[in-house]
Amino acid sequence: MASTTKIMTALIALEYLDLEKEIEVDDRAIGIDGSSIYLEKGEIMTAESLIYSLMLRSANDAAEALAYRISGSIEDFCRLMNERAVSLGLSDTSFKNPHGLDAK
């Protein structure tokens, strides 16, 4: 499930961000459980680097950094993910976060 979620996160990021866009990591993306690239407060990375980290390292912190940059909140980002899923005909799909870790 996490890999499928990360594919959707990458798709949204590719649709909304210029790959060369520099992104300052949001404090809320620091210290996320599971796979990580250990982002630090105030670190600046390109969208491309975060997407590669998301897909190649399965980095949950990169997933959240992208979500916060695109939508400002996890909830709003998941709304985009779910809308995109519906547009692809995925009627039984529901995303709760950008990385696929268990949701409450």
Side-chain angles (χ1 to χ4, degrees), residues 4-103:
T4 303
T5 302
K6 287 175 175 135
I7 290 169
M8 181 61 81
T9 297
L11 177 63
I12 298 295
L14 289 167
E15 292 176 345
Y16 279 79
L17 297 172
D18 176 341
L19 291 177
E20 295 178 15
K21 173 76 176 170
E22 289 189 340
I23 296 171
E24 183 174 349
V25 175
D26 189 290
D27 293 352
R28 297 170 289 178
I30 307 296
I32 305 304
D33 289 338
S35 299
S36 176
I37 56 169
Y38 305 100
L39 292 170
E40 295 181 3
K41 181 178 181 174
E43 186 170 353
I44 297 175
M45 294 184 70
T46 63
E48 180 178 34
S49 292
L50 287 170
I51 294 167
Y52 272 114
S53 298
L54 170 72
M55 297 306 297
L56 298 177
R57 296 285 310 268
S58 194
N60 298 327
D61 52 354
E64 288 210 3
L66 289 163
Y68 286 123
R69 173 60 186 94
I70 292 167
S71 298
S73 73
I74 299 301
E75 295 78 18
D76 287 343
F77 187 77
C78 290
R79 196 168 301 117
L80 288 176
M81 294 173 75
N82 289 316
E83 289 170 2
R84 189 66 171 101
V86 168
S87 78
L88 293 170
L90 306 173
S91 58
D92 292 326
T93 301
S94 177
F95 295 103
K96 304 292 183 196
N97 59 55
H99 41 63
L101 293 176
D102 289 339

